[in-house]
């Protein structure tokens, strides 16, 4: 047989290789579209720093895609801009989309992933806490906290009477102390309370540490091996403090709750309810296990629930300044039910108030990009390739400002949730899949009773300056991981002398 010339063999081989490569690239779906990055640093320079959720919507429009992608120093970041696509990936495939990104500073060095449920991988510890949340915070079980929420709302009303110019202090104290009370049976002091100080310090640390670019060690994890004496390793000192505060948050309020359980005037709390599952037959090992799970489940509740609910409540006050008609309609609804002879409570049917609570969460979602998820397997979804380890963020702001779903989306309009053909509830505000916020029922209830009590008893108006001119609120929001209104001025007055008296008589001495 005649042998083929060497050149022809070469051409044949190259053609076969080309054909195989082409076929492989045809079989392999593309990554979701996004701005073209630079060699080595990828899209580092494209990363939006201000209101990133709006930039991701822009990119979605530019690339005609619900999902956009960028790459940063080896990380893939996938942002999902519509409810449909979020359901497709984060809900339907939640078995593989429910992990969390690993942050070297918080998880490795400060050890927070050991106990902080919101940072934890989807491991057995995390699952055990999710089971506990179901026991104390499900839609049904959350109702047991309504009495404490109501008392907190009435006490909030009294603090508005006493110091109407300190709205932001009152919202923070009311929401925070209520969560501590429900979780640990703690009765926090209005000023300088050590438990609130501890929880707030832990929050500050968490917020600072997870802001992009705070710690270089999150970008270059190998830096963690540098010795502490090495110049530029101040992050190691911070990590030690973070660890100490974290441990205190994990153990100290829990120990307080256990001490309270031994007193005569103790009240039901999440800790007491969770420990209630232990009867005398429990072995020492079972007891230790349940106690540790309870510590972890409860230690994160203030961090996850306080700042978010405070942001929503402050949004309510801002919206009442900007939309006085809504305030008037709300007041009419409450007055019709209470006949102005009492403050509202959970036995009242107040659909418009519920619609206002939903609209606060839709209009200005407190966590606009949620907490990022991480995918644990290579996946193909929505026609795109999503590599294993990608960080996947549901763009909550984009989903709740989708003009096709929420027409006139920039308007604050509670009526969208009323009537026979309402807009869908803004469920996305609480995240996705197996990671969905376990405190969502508690959060809506807390917001509802605060709003109902406030509109029943107070008029909220724009402030006047020294010359009697109306001061327009700036209505600006912070643009970090959590988005809350920047401080604004407003005038809060009891609607009538009778309402002021009613608040004074109904509010408890302490919550
Ligand atoms: C308006 C108030 C609130 C908003 C907007 C909110 C929103 C969220 C969001 C977006 C997430 C991340 C979900 C995801 O990863 O997809 C989350 C997680 C979480 N939330 Fe909330 N939340 C609120 C109030 C609360 C309250 C009151 C509690 C507890 C009493 C709470 C407890 C938690 C916990 C423990 C997690 C972590 C869940 C996990 O990683 O498995 N939240 N929340």
């Amino acid at each position: 047989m005649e042998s083929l010339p060497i050149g022809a063999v070469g051409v044949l081989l190259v053609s076969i290789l080309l054909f195989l490569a082409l076929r492989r690239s045809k079989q392999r779906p593309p990554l979701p579209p996004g701005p073209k990055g630079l060699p080595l640093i990828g899209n580092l320079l494209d990363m939006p720093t201000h209101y990133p959720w709006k930039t991701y919507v822009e990119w979605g429009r530019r690339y005609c895609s619900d999902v956009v992608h960028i790459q940063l120093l080896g990380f893939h970041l996938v942002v999902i801009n519509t409810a449909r696509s979020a359901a497709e990936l984060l809900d339907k495939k939640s078995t593989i989309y429910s992990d969390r990104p690993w942050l070297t500073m918080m998880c490795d060095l400060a050890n927070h992933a050991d106990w902080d449920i919101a940072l934890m991988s989807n491991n057995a510890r995390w699952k055990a806490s999710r089971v506990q949340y179901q026991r104390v915070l499900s839609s049904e079980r959350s109702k047991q906290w309504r009495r404490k929420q109501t008392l907190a709302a009435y006490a909030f009303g009294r603090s508005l009477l006493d110091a109407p110019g300190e709205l932001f202090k009152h919202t923070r104290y009311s929401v925070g102390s209520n969560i501590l009370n429900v979780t640990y049976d703690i009765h926090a002091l209005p000023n300088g309370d050590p438990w609130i100080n501890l929880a707030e310090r832990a929050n500050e640390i968490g917020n600072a540490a997870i802001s992009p670019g705070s710690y270089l060690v999150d970008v270059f994890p190998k830096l963690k091996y540098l010795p502490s004496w090495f110049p530029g390793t101040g992050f190691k000192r911070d990590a030690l403090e973070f660890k100490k505060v974290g441990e205190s948050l994990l153990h100290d309020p829990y120990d307080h709750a256990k001490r309270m359980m031994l007193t005569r005037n103790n009240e039901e709390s999440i800790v007491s309810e969770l420990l209630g599952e232990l009867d005398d037959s429990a072995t020492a090992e079972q007891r230790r296990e349940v106690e540790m799970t309870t510590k972890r489940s409860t230690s994160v509740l203030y961090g996850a629930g306080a700042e978010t609910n405070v942001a929503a409540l402050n949004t309510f006050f801002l919206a009442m300044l900007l939309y006085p008609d809504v305030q008037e309609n709300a007041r009419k609804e409450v007055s019709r039910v209470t006949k102005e002879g009492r403050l509202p409570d959970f036995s009242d049917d107040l659909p418009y108030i519920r619609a206002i609570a939903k609209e606060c969460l839709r209009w200005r979602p407190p966590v606009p990009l949620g907490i990022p998820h991480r995918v644990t397997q290579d996946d193909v979804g929505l026609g795109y390739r999503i590599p294993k380890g990608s960080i996947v963020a549901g763009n909550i702001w984009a989903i709740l400002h989708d003009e096709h779903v929420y027409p006139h989306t920039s308007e604050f309009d509670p009526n969208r949730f009323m009537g026979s053909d309402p807009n869908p509830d803004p469920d996305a505000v609480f995240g996705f899949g197996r990671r969905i916020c376990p405190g969502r029922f508690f959060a809506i209830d807390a917001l509802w009773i605060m709003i109902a009590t406030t509109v029943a008893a107070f008029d909220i108006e724009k402030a006047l300056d020294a010359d009697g001119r109306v001061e327009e609120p700036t209505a600006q929001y912070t643009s970090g991981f959590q988005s809350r209104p920047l401080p604004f001025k407003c005038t809060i007055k009891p609607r009538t002398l009778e309402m002021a008296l009613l608040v004074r008589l109904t509010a408890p001495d302490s919550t």
Side-chain angles (χ1 to χ4, degrees):
M1 198 177 97
E2 252 181 73
S3 60
L4 280 171
I6 205 93
V9 173
V11 170
L12 193 67
L13 264 177
V14 170
S15 310
I16 291 172
L17 285 175
L18 266 177
F19 170 75
L20 286 176
L22 211 71
R23 207 174 67 162
R24 190 156 170 261
S25 79
K26 272 197 183 146
Q27 280 170 346
R28 230 160 90 109
L31 290 164
K36 234 178 156 38
L38 294 169
L40 288 178
I41 59 167
N43 295 99
L44 196 62
L45 304 179
D46 298 310
M47 269 304 272
T49 47
H50 276 78
Y51 307 104
W53 43 93
K54 295 191 181 177
T55 308
Y56 297 136
V57 171
E58 259 315 298
W59 290 354
R61 280 200 202 107
R62 191 187 309 162
Y63 300 105
C64 300
S65 172
D66 282 5
V67 189
V68 291
H69 163 267
I70 52 177
Q71 203 162 355
L72 294 165
L73 306 159
F75 291 100
H76 293 276
L77 170 66
V78 175
V79 182
I80 307 173
N81 281 331
T82 63
R84 188 186 62 88
S85 301
E88 208 54 47
L89 298 183
L90 299 176
D91 293 339
K92 286 197 194 146
K93 297 189 179 181
S94 68
T95 33
I96 59 167
Y97 277 87
S98 296
D99 207 11
R100 291 282 192 222
W102 188 257
L103 301 168
T104 307
M105 180 69 181
M106 283 304 265
C107 302
D108 266 351
L109 296 174
N111 233 15
H112 281 220
D114 243 25
W115 55 269
D116 185 334
I117 301 306
L119 288 179
M120 206 178 266
S121 298
N122 57 347
N123 53 27
R125 279 186 183 181
W126 170 75
K127 284 186 189 133
S129 282
R130 295 288 317 199
V131 170
Q132 286 199 329
Y133 292 145
Q134 192 56 26
R135 284 192 35 218
V136 288
L137 290 169
S138 68
S139 66
E140 236 355 89
R141 300 303 297 155
S142 267
K143 290 183 185 154
Q144 67 182 310
W145 313 119
R146 285 179 168 180
R147 193 188 67 81
K148 288 190 176 203
Q149 289 175 318
T150 308
L151 294 180
Y154 296 170
F156 172 66
R158 195 181 45 203
S159 58
L160 287 178
L161 283 181
D162 291 341
E166 296 184 22
L167 172 67
F168 296 101
K169 188 178 150 205
H170 301 322
T171 50
R172 182 161 290 276
Y173 169 74
S174 278
V175 171
S177 61
N178 181 233
I179 291 181
L180 289 180
N181 184 226
V182 166
T183 311
Y184 298 112
D185 195 9
I186 282 175
H187 294 264
L189 304 166
N191 292 304
D193 184 82
W195 297 116
I196 293 206
N197 289 347
L198 170 66
E200 285 290 324
R201 179 69 193 126
N203 261 8
E204 273 166 27
I205 285 172
N207 286 341
I210 59 175
S211 299
S214 298
Y215 287 101
L216 207 58
V217 68
D218 283 327
V219 184
F220 302 109
K222 294 239 157 40
L223 292 178
K224 73 179 174 185
Y225 298 116
L226 288 174
S228 304
W229 52 261
F230 201 79
T233 51
F235 65 88
K236 290 209 151 179
R237 258 193 320 277
D238 289 356
L240 277 182
E241 199 226 338
F242 295 1
K243 199 170 169 176
K244 214 168 123 212
V245 172
E247 272 164 14
S248 200
L249 188 71
L250 183 65
H251 302 291
D252 299 350
Y254 172 86
D255 290 343
H256 167 92
K258 276 191 72 180
R259 280 196 301 275
M260 287 305 287
M261 286 168 67
L262 300 176
T263 64
R264 257 191 316 131
N265 51 353
N266 71 319
E267 288 171 12
E268 192 79 351
S269 66
I270 291 185
V271 168
S272 72
E273 169 134 359
L274 290 175
L275 293 186
E277 84 176 57
L278 286 171
D279 56 29
D280 292 342
S281 66
T283 62
E285 179 56 26
Q286 281 166 335
R287 188 166 288 278
R288 207 188 65 82
E289 196 56 41
V290 170
E291 291 222 25
M292 271 320 293
T293 305
T294 304
K295 278 187 183 182
R296 288 191 288 266
S297 305
T298 48
S299 62
V300 69
L301 296 182
Y302 185 99
E307 187 101 4
T308 41
N309 256 49
V310 170
L313 191 54
N314 290 343
T315 288
F316 157 73
F317 279 91
L318 179 63
M320 293 308 100
L321 296 183
L322 301 175
Y323 295 87
D325 293 355
V326 173
Q327 186 177 170
E328 185 55 21
N329 291 340
R331 189 191 57 74
K332 280 189 189 146
E333 181 181 73
V334 177
S335 297
R336 210 177 305 123
V337 172
T338 61
K339 311 276 183 273
E340 311 227 344
R342 60 176 176 85
L343 293 178
D345 61 39
F346 280 98
S347 67
D348 295 321
D349 182 26
L350 301 171
Y352 193 68
I353 300 294
R354 194 153 286 271
I356 293 180
K358 289 180 193 170
E359 184 64 343
C360 288
L361 296 171
R362 184 205 70 83
W363 190 57
R364 295 291 181 264
V367 199
L369 286 170
I371 307 179
H373 294 215
R374 181 176 166 279
V375 59
T376 47
Q377 277 176 28
D378 281 333
D379 185 37
V380 173
L382 307 162
Y384 298 119
R385 179 162 59 90
I386 318 275
K388 173 180 173 175
S390 295
I391 296 169
V392 184
N395 189 344
I396 292 173
W397 188 89
I399 292 170
L400 300 179
H401 285 79
D402 184 336
E403 194 68 45
H404 302 295
V405 184
Y406 301 102
H408 313 294
T409 177
S410 56
E411 290 295 307
F412 184 92
D413 178 13
N415 278 323
R416 66 174 76 249
F417 297 115
M418 305 282 290
S420 56
D421 186 20
N423 291 176
D425 279 354
D427 296 336
V429 76
F430 293 115
F432 309 94
R434 296 182 184 189
R435 285 282 183 175
I436 194 167
C437 172
R440 60 199 184 282
F441 305 106
F442 181 93
I444 294 257
D445 278 351
L447 196 54
W448 182 90
I449 189 68
M450 287 284 194
I451 294 175
T453 306
T454 305
V455 294
F458 296 94
D459 282 326
I460 308 160
E461 291 165 7
K462 290 179 185 166
L464 302 179
D465 68 14
D467 299 323
R469 280 184 304 244
V470 169
E471 283 195 55
E472 287 300 328
T474 59
Q476 293 293 311
Y477 276 69
T478 56
S479 102
F481 161 64
Q482 300 201 347
S483 183
R484 55 179 182 279
L486 290 174
F488 53 87
K489 286 192 182 153
C490 63
T491 304
I492 300 170
K493 292 187 293 211
R495 289 189 29 247
T496 59
L497 266 178
E498 288 75 20
M499 288 315 288
L501 196 62
L502 196 57
V503 170
R504 286 218 181 279
L505 291 176
T506 320
D509 289 336
S510 83
T511 53

